[in-house]
Amino acid sequence: MVRQLEGSSRIFEDSYTLGQPWFLETTAIEETIVDRYSNMLALITSMDLSRNNLAGEIPQELTSLYSLQFLNLSNNQLVRKIPKTIRAMKFLESLDISMNQLTSVITESMRSFNSLSFLNVSYNNLSGRIPRSSRFQNLIALSFIGNHDLCGPPLTAQLQWR
């Protein structure tokens, strides 16, 4: 929250601040902008970053967008693992991380998604067993194809552990 500067009495409120005061002093502008965007990020419910040539790991900061309901990170060059902190995204209804280069197991923490109705992790390099959860078992096998070392329902072909 923006702190009032000593001797400052200039306050401006608008509909974007959700009732929080914004100070127009030049020295407070930078802090005000950061706070303004922090407040706005908390309101985002849908984010489509597909086909953006994003590279590297899925940023853990992304999982702090608690209100997010729809997230599409497909068709990028994301690597390594799905962050365990993804479990904080309690309202997530749709997650598409297909066609990347993710190389871990599907984290058990994803079992806590109570609202998840669409998941697509196809065409990565995921391995291991799909977590046992009614959320995952009710998804179609196409959501998981292209991960040659992934096994368990809803996939029909069970892979043998090597």
Side-chain angles (χ1 to χ4, degrees):
M1 181 162 187
V2 175
R3 296 179 302 275
Q4 185 168 359
L5 300 174
E6 286 185 23
S8 172
S9 59
R10 296 173 63 193
I11 298 174
F12 177 75
E13 287 190 33
D14 64 19
S15 60
Y16 296 107
T17 63
L18 301 174
Q20 295 181 7
W22 295 99
F23 302 98
L24 299 177
E25 306 298 330
T26 305
T27 55
I29 294 289
E30 185 176 317
E31 189 172 349
T32 301
I33 290 170
V34 170
D35 285 344
R36 173 178 229 135
Y37 286 115
S38 294
N39 288 338
M40 290 171 62
L41 287 174
L43 301 175
I44 294 174
T45 58
S46 181
M47 187 176 292
D48 186 342
L49 297 173
S50 62
R51 301 177 203 272
N52 273 290
N53 293 320
L54 300 176
E57 295 184 60
I58 297 173
Q60 287 195 359
E61 294 80 5
L62 193 60
T63 65
S64 66
L65 298 174
Y66 303 114
S67 299
L68 211 55
Q69 296 172 346
F70 305 95
L71 177 60
N72 187 345
L73 296 172
S74 65
N75 291 289
N76 284 294
Q77 288 97 40
L78 298 172
V79 296
R80 302 203 53 194
K81 48 182 145 173
I82 302 167
K84 290 181 180 179
T85 54
I86 200 164
R87 70 175 167 256
M89 303 173 85
K90 300 275 187 215
F91 301 107
L92 205 56
E93 295 176 22
S94 174
L95 175 62
D96 190 342
I97 52 176
S98 64
M99 300 181 117
N100 281 289
Q101 296 146 21
L102 299 169
T103 57
S104 65
V105 298
I106 298 175
T107 178
E108 287 287 327
S109 63
M110 290 178 65
R111 291 176 23 166
S112 65
F113 290 148
N114 295 325
S115 303
L116 192 66
S117 59
F118 176 82
L119 173 68
N120 189 351
V121 297
S122 62
Y123 298 102
N124 280 289
N125 295 307
L126 299 173
S127 60
R129 184 167 291 282
I130 297 169
R132 293 188 184 269
S133 166
S134 59
R135 294 282 171 218
F136 292 117
Q137 309 312 308
N138 292 330
L139 296 169
I140 60 172
L142 291 175
S143 297
F144 301 96
I145 64 169
N147 294 289
H148 302 292
D149 293 328
L150 197 61
C151 63
L155 293 174
T156 54
Q158 299 291 318
L159 299 177
Q160 299 296 316
W161 291 101
R162 296 178 194 156

